Amino acid sequence: SASQTVSSTTITGDLPSKIQVSQDGLYNVQFSAQFINTTNDVQDINIWFRKNGTDVAGSNSQFGIKARKSTGSASRLIAAMNFYLELAENDYFEMMWRVSDSGVSMEQFPAVTASGSTPDIPATPSIILTVTFVSNRSA
């Protein structure tokens, strides 16, 4: 969900993009994102973080996604990254992304209901973001 309290540290989400913390500290930010490429070419995906509206230096990761295999058969990639952010009370961060072609996008899959030999399969979100408080900032 967008807002959760864990061990009395509140992290809120101001949808669609701002994630705000209520306590000074070091935070571990992890994500996985499901991408699809419908083009006939290899494409690039850049993912980075912004803190209070400013890009975080050294936070970009670039992923390459293969060209689709054949007509109608798109290429898929799960991009994952782990990053530490020092945040002050009421700071917010955003996860940013840019692709080299509009034929690349994030995708999600709906849940699948069991049928025959296929089990129930839960829905697949386009992105999973986990934010964990690690420790107070040092003075």
Side-chain angles (χ1 to χ4, degrees):
S1 66
S3 298
Q4 296 183 19
T5 300
V6 180
S7 301
S8 71
T9 297
T10 302
I11 300 170
T12 60
D14 177 10
L15 299 178
S17 68
K18 293 180 182 177
I19 299 155
Q20 186 175 20
V21 300
S22 64
Q23 180 177 340
D24 288 0
L26 181 65
Y27 289 83
N28 182 5
V29 180
Q30 301 174 40
F31 73 85
S32 64
Q34 178 82 43
F35 286 93
I36 184 170
N37 181 9
T38 59
T39 75
N40 293 322
D41 298 306
V42 173
Q43 300 296 338
D44 292 325
I45 303 163
N46 286 281
I47 302 174
W48 69 97
F49 294 102
R50 282 190 181 153
K51 177 178 159 184
N52 300 325
T54 302
D55 291 339
V56 175
S59 69
N60 185 60
S61 285
Q62 187 174 75
F63 302 89
I65 187 169
K66 295 179 183 179
R68 68 179 178 186
K69 298 174 187 159
S70 61
T71 302
S73 179
S75 179
R76 290 181 169 85
L77 170 79
I78 296 177
M81 192 170 102
N82 186 74
F83 198 78
Y84 288 90
L85 287 172
E86 280 199 35
L87 301 168
E89 181 179 351
N90 296 320
D91 275 355
Y92 72 89
F93 72 91
E94 298 169 283
M95 191 175 131
M96 309 302 294
W97 63 288
R98 180 190 176 280
V99 295
S100 56
D101 188 276
S102 62
V104 176
S105 60
M106 285 189 189
E107 73 173 339
Q108 59 82 33
F109 299 103
V112 174
T113 303
S115 173
S117 63
T118 303
D120 280 336
I121 301 172
T124 303
S126 57
I127 188 162
I128 298 170
L129 177 71
T130 303
V131 181
T132 306
F133 175 80
V134 177
S135 68
N136 292 337
R137 296 186 333 169
S138 55

